[in-house]
Amino acid sequence: MSADKDITDKVAQYETFLNETLRTDLKSTLTLRDKIYQEQAEYLALRNSINAIKLAELVPGEPLKTKVDLGCNFYCQARVPDPTKIFVSVGLGFFVELTLDEALEFISKKDGELGKEADKLTADCAKLKANIKLVI
């Protein structure tokens, strides 16, 4: 009778550990990885926009006319007086004014770092999934 109670208590402890620790850790790790993937997608969109500006072969001093997404696919017309420089978010709410070539270089470095971080989080997810399978 005592052995059955001990086994039941151990099973309950493992279930608690599984549900409260491992699964919540897995969920938070996946959420962080998804945020990194989203940030990578934003930098890819910026890279494509910069390449489109470079291919447009604008006359120096000529403003750029474009449409800007305000959210929910609601666009308005915009006029950029000097399309040779852009502001890029470097994190923590700071923006840096860069030329198009400097921005492309920054984006490639940032994308590489984000890729490494995403790979690390993917490995962490695999370890957590393995631990969950082990407990089950």
Side-chain angles (χ1 to χ4, degrees), residues 21-22 25-26 29 123-133:
T21 305
L22 292 178
D25 288 351
L26 179 62
T29 305
D124 291 347
C125 288
K127 288 178 186 174
L128 285 168
K129 286 179 183 179
N131 288 339
I132 289 172
K133 295 263 187 210

Side-chain angles (χ1 to χ4, degrees), residues 6 19 23 37 44 56 65 89 93 100 105 128:
D6 290 341
N19 291 325
R23 289 203 172 136
Y37 285 154
L44 178 63
K65 294 178 184 175
S89 172
L100 298 179
E105 183 180 333
L128 285 168

Side-chain angles (χ1 to χ4, degrees), residues 59-74:
V59 177
E62 180 183 329
L64 172 69
K65 294 178 184 175
T66 185
K67 290 186 178 181
V68 177
D69 186 5
L70 298 177
C72 298
N73 289 326
F74 186 76

Side-chain angles (χ1 to χ4, degrees), residues 52-120:
I53 290 171
K54 289 177 87 171
L55 289 175
E57 298 177 2
L58 298 171
V59 177
E62 180 183 329
L64 172 69
K65 294 178 184 175
T66 185
K67 290 186 178 181
V68 177
D69 186 5
L70 298 177
C72 298
N73 289 326
F74 186 76
Y75 290 88
C76 72
Q77 291 183 351
R79 193 170 156 264
V80 181
D82 183 17
T84 60
K85 294 186 178 184
I86 60 171
F87 284 94
V88 178
S89 172
V90 293
L92 299 174
F94 290 99
F95 291 81
V96 177
E97 184 177 14
L98 301 171
T99 64
L100 298 179
D101 292 329
E102 290 171 339
L104 286 173
E105 183 180 333
F106 171 78
I107 290 169
S108 65
K109 288 180 182 179
K110 184 73 172 183
D111 187 47
E113 290 300 316
L114 289 173
K116 288 177 186 176
E117 197 171 334
D119 291 343
K120 180 185 174 296

